[in-house]
Amino acid sequence: SLPSSPLRQKSAPDTAEKTVPVIPRGLAASGQYRVTFDNSGDCMRMTAAELMRGITVRIPASLSSELLLIERI
């Protein structure tokens, strides 16, 4: 007789929105930065001090992502 294997039940996909804190590294302490959220195109201006406190990034669903473009200005 063959050994029995446990049944695996697939879980439902996680569709809940999540937020992720992002703290960039390598910033010039006195710098000003333009932060662009690639998916939405939203853009904001932030100081290095503000960025070092972190940015909250919204991830709309599982298997999705957000790309942040951080440029010194």
Side-chain angles (χ1 to χ4, degrees):
S1 115
L2 295 174
S4 63
S5 63
L7 294 175
R8 290 188 185 195
Q9 190 172 24
K10 290 185 179 181
S11 59
D14 182 8
T15 57
E17 179 179 296
K18 293 184 179 13
T19 56
V20 178
V22 173
I23 301 174
R25 294 195 246 170
L27 302 173
S30 63
Q32 292 278 326
Y33 292 85
R34 179 176 39 247
V35 179
T36 305
F37 291 78
D38 192 56
N39 289 351
S40 67
D42 290 343
C43 189
M44 62 179 72
R45 186 177 180 150
M46 299 180 79
T47 65
E50 291 170 324
L51 284 166
M52 289 178 196
R53 286 192 293 271
I55 305 169
T56 300
V57 178
R58 185 179 66 82
I59 307 297
S62 73
L63 302 178
S64 66
S65 63
E66 177 66 83
L67 174 66
L68 293 182
L69 304 170
I70 302 173
E71 303 169 274
R72 187 170 183 191
I73 51 176

